[in-house]
Amino acid sequence: MAKIAIGLSIVFSLLCMLLAAAPFTPAIGGSFLMLLFAGFIGYKGYIQCGLVLLLINTLAVIGSPGIDISNQEALLFVLVLFPVSFGGVLMGIRKLVASTGT
């Protein structure tokens, strides 16, 4: 069941990335949600899938013309969201390394 959910989230992220190239605001919102999901599944131990989701959704957010980072609220939101999602994956890597004893 987890593999199906992760596969669907990757497909949804790819769709959001394609739609975010045009200034389609709901696609950018979907990319933000998938960034949080990437941090969560990375923390749970699905490191490769978390990294793939981080790559896809980071490209979608950065490449989107619909995001205006000159606005302070948008910039603050992005600056809070990225450390949370990347931090989740990094904590998952740390947990995985600690459990293997390497």
Side-chain angles (χ1 to χ4, degrees), residues 7-96:
L8 289 176
S9 68
I10 290 174
V11 170
F12 180 69
S13 294
L14 286 171
L15 181 66
C16 286
M17 184 176 72
L18 292 174
L19 291 175
F24 186 60
T25 308
I28 298 168
S31 291
F32 285 142
L33 287 175
M34 288 294 110
L35 275 171
L36 291 174
F37 184 69
F40 176 72
I41 65 171
Y43 180 74
K44 288 295 187 181
Y46 298 102
I47 304 298
Q48 290 176 341
C49 296
L51 288 173
V52 167
L53 283 173
L54 280 177
L55 173 72
I56 293 169
N57 292 304
T58 301
L59 289 175
V61 169
I62 290 174
S64 173
I67 221 171
D68 182 23
I69 58 171
S70 64
N71 184 359
Q72 283 185 336
E73 286 129 12
L75 181 63
L76 183 66
F77 180 70
V78 169
L79 289 177
V80 168
L81 183 71
F82 277 116
V84 168
S85 57
F86 279 89
V89 172
L90 290 175
M91 288 173 60
I93 292 172
R94 185 174 180 189
K95 240 174 45 172
L96 187 65

